[in-house]
Amino acid sequence: MRGFWDRLPFAARLLVTASVALVVAGAAMVGVSARQEALDARADLAAVLAQELETLPQALAETVVIGDFSTLQQTLDRYVERPLIVEAHFLDTSGVRLSSHGPEKGEPAPAWFVDLFGYAPASGEAPVIVGGRSYGNLTLTLSPHQPAARAWHRLLDHLGILLLAVAVDFAGIWLVLHFGLQPLKRLERAADALANGRLKARVAPFGSPELRHLIDRFNRMAETLQNTIEEHRRVERELDAASRAKSEFLANMSHEIRTPLNAILGLMELALDAPDVGERREFIRKARGASELLLGIINDILDFSKIEAGKLDIEQAPFALAPLATDLADIFGPQAAEKGVALRFEMADTLPAAIWGDPLRLRQVLLNLIGNAIKFTEQGEVIVRVEPLDCADTGVSGWARLRFSVRDTGIGIATEDLARLFDAFTQGDASTTRRFGGTGLGLAIGKRLVELMGGQIGAESAPGAGSTFWFELPCEIAPVESLPSAPVAPAAGTCPAYAGKRVLLVEDNALNREMAQRFLGRLGIEIVVAINGAEAVGAVARESFDLVLMDCQMPVMDGYEATRCIRAAGFADLPILAMTANALSVDREKSLAAGMNDHLTKPLKFETLRETLARWLGGEPPPPAAAPTEPSQSEDMDAPRLDTARAIANFGGDGELYRQIAEIFRQDAPAQVAEFDAACAAGDWLTARRAAHSVKGMAASLGAERLRRRAYALEQACAAEDAAAVAAAEPAFRAELMETTTALRTYEDNIG
Amino acid sequence: MREKTLKRFALLLAAGLSLLAAPVLAQTQTYSFGVLSQRSAVLTAQYWNPILDYVEKKAGVRLVLKAARTAPESNDATERGEYDFVYSNTIFQPKMAQANYQVILRPRDEAITGQIVTLEASPIRSIKDLEGKEVGFPSQAAFVGYAVPMDALLRQGVTVTPVFGGNQEGIMGQLKAGRVIAAGVNNQVMKSFAARENVQYRVLWESPPYLNLPIAAHPRVPKAVVEAVRTAIDGMDNDPEGMKILEASASIIGQKPPLGFRAATQADYQSYIDFYKQTLVKDFK
């Protein structure tokens, strides 16, 4: 039974239930009705009998009194022809019996029907009494046949109607269901369509309100489904694209990384094999350049990863804007000049003198933007503008929103590329990469840095109409007094007067020790070496030092521990500077917590070391002078011919840029020299001076220190209009120029 | 006068004796009591059955009422001498002589007359107006209802067409319905009918009085029985029970007092006998 019901479709269930209910109810009603009719018939019969027995004697009285039996018989005979009467008897007092039997009228009902419903004849008798005297007894029998037959036919009629009702009901329900459930079929088909991936499958609403609602909900669900799936697909595509871009980038980067690395290895091999010290030094120098290039690339990648991982911190230190501009001008000036592109810095008058921020990161962003501008501009100008947009109080305190913009008249950027400009791993187009090189991360890093600093970055451009890259930062104005006292300007090859200063160098690694010693030696500082923390503590106890350079990771005792011991021993005022490869601010705090005063990251930069030492050892660095009296500076051989790494580092690690500048130098330097010669011959000291100055600038950019000095000497001589001095400085200058050019070529060859 | 008193005394004596003997004599015997049809048999039975029951109780004589449908039928049965007792005034007709019914009781009420009546609203004023018209009569056997008025009409030379209604109340019914313009009737029966049926009528002609219907006995009935019956019926109006019955029966037909019967003889009805000798009406039955 359960199984049967389960297999029944909805329409059938309804039909079965309705029909069964109707039949049962109908049958019950018919049965009850028939029973009631039988009871009514019986009562009627009894009533009729009673009535007849009341009236008939009176009707017969006349004839009975007269004693006219024949008439009486006739009367009885006529009487039994009446509908219900079937028998009439009269029994006279003298015993005469008159009887009449009526015919059966009509089709009788089936015997079972009569029995079932209790249709029975009704009999009764009444005496005929006239004037108090009984003349006889009248007996009547009424037959139930007619009522029974009527009831029987009525029953048949009722059953017929019931049947009709069931049939009509059946048909009606079936029709309503059949058409009413159509929407379900459509829903079914639409659901199948959806399941098969036809996401646009919908159903037009029709039918009863409940089904309309269902269809409406279905459509909404389908809509949501479609949107979600399409969204997922889109995201998938984007992720795929990003993944592909990343893979591509990694493929590119591995090339970019491997190239300098190979060069380094190659140069090292050459250095090992080279018999000549000078050659060895050249190779090592070039290797250093390649290392710095590699460092720049790796810094870019690491920076980017750090930012993406949310682990890059923005420092908050007071710094001045003006020196930053000067610095940038120095870096890019020669480069721009070589390309024949004018580089201008427009710093608004209303700019605050000092602001809180991360000068390093700001510089990084500007380096990238300006570098790009120069890279992509063949002629015209690059204008760097810094201006406040609005400030609450430019004077002493408050916030200013500064807008930095770099506008160039370069090749411009197509509209479709503008959108992806700040995306990682993309450059203007593939051809851009080939022409201009680069990792493609510069702008991406720049954007993220700007955003980390709470600002916004953007670009406007049109092909052939140049570009404007801008970013805005909210900056808190810092009091001027908070600026560090030591000037920031990086001058190459300057030597402070640190005579007599003693520095304890604590470093376990020999190579790093070599580098530090080199740098410190250049600065004319007396060095004592310790190779671990324990030795350092002992040294401090034995001898007096002006400053300690403490490596952090060392065997036996590390730097933190050594510092704590030294502090505990009572040397609270002794400046201890930490040297560590970790660049995270966490380590900075760790150093400070241990009792160190400052923090230097490795690899050591000469400039950074110099600045830091200047801060902690005091004393202004002397102005750049090629004074031979300064022992560390007198040796030309010690001055670098080509410090490519540093130059590249100053370019934000953009080795490609360096190569381009080198290219420009190699093309432009001879021209400048020719101009110089012509000017000298013509007695045009101004032009000669300008030419010398130009070469000096380029040399500085390239990290060609010696050439820079020579050009500087020449420039000074021209400035003094001292022909003799010019003549004296010229040969050295020309020689150095040739050497530098050769060195550059060698570097480029090695780099590849 | 002396003779009558003597007769009466003898009768009373006989009645007293027979009264003693009646129960023994008449216990198992049933006698028929015929009634001239003047109204429906049912009314006749309703009137007479209680009286006959009383007689049975008092005299021990069971009398069975015989009512005919029409007066002619009653007269036919009377002529044949079918009834043992008969309540009729047609027994004085010549043809009834064979049966030889002898009067035993006469009604206490006044004599009856024959009348020719018409409805109050009728335009007929005198019997002369009836010339050539149809006039209703109970039946050809009716005495004061037919013979007497018809005789009057004939003597006055008014020719009418007789219409017969079966019995007294039958024709009265037709008069009431307007089927006949006038009718010959028994004045008492007419009065009773009119009172009962609420009919307004006018008497066009009235005959001299005749005594109302007597109760007579057939010669075959034993004297003792006759006497017993006569005594019982005679004494009804002296007996409260009998009086009640008389009154009940009277109310059925609208009969007015005095009620009941008095012993009588054939001599009391000589007038009837004489009429029949002289009447011009030849077709009474």
Side-chain angles (χ1 to χ4, degrees), chain A residues 58 60-63 65-68 71 93 130-135, chain B residues 40-42 45-46 49-50 52-53 56 62-65 67-69:
Chain A
Q58 287 170 27
L60 296 178
E62 186 78 12
T63 316
V65 167
I66 289 170
D68 185 354
T71 307
T93 44
V130 186
R133 200 172 267 199
S134 172
Y135 281 83
Chain B
S40 73
V42 169
Q46 285 174 338
N49 277 341
L52 298 183
D53 283 343
E56 184 173 353
R62 181 163 176 82
L63 297 171
V64 173
L65 181 69
R69 200 179 312 274

Side-chain angles (χ1 to χ4, degrees), chain B residues 25-45:
Chain B
L25 281 170
Q27 240 171 13
T28 54
Q29 279 285 65
T30 308
Y31 295 92
S32 60
F33 188 95
V35 173
L36 175 66
S37 174
Q38 293 178 303
R39 50 182 65 85
S40 73
V42 169
L43 278 176
T44 306

